[in-house]
Amino acid sequence: MREEAGILTVDLHGKNVYQARVTVDALLRRAGGGVYRVRLIHGRHGGTALRDFLREEYAGHPRVRRLVLSPDGGTTDLVLRAFT
């Protein structure tokens, strides 16, 4: 996990759906006011289980304004607020 310029990035490779949920929920609870995006690296070649889970689970989360899938399909950004 690393934070740079208001973007908190975490690599979910090797995690199952349960582990990913625990990780993302903890990140959302701990994300301070300086964090406006949580970038989740899930990959795109090993199946779509994590990507699909993230889109289904966090699209309606109260802290998440919108989800942004990267052009290559390997990361999903949870946008928490507008960048200012």
Side-chain angles (χ1 to χ4, degrees), residues 54-55 58-60 64-69 76-79:
L54 293 169
R55 294 182 72 76
Y58 295 101
V64 178
R65 294 183 64 155
R66 71 180 189 278
L67 282 83
V68 178
L69 185 64
T76 298
D77 284 6
L78 307 180
V79 179

Side-chain angles (χ1 to χ4, degrees), residues 13 42-48 51 72-74:
H13 282 104
H42 47 71
R44 62 187 177 109
H45 293 296
T48 61
R51 183 194 69 202
D72 70 356

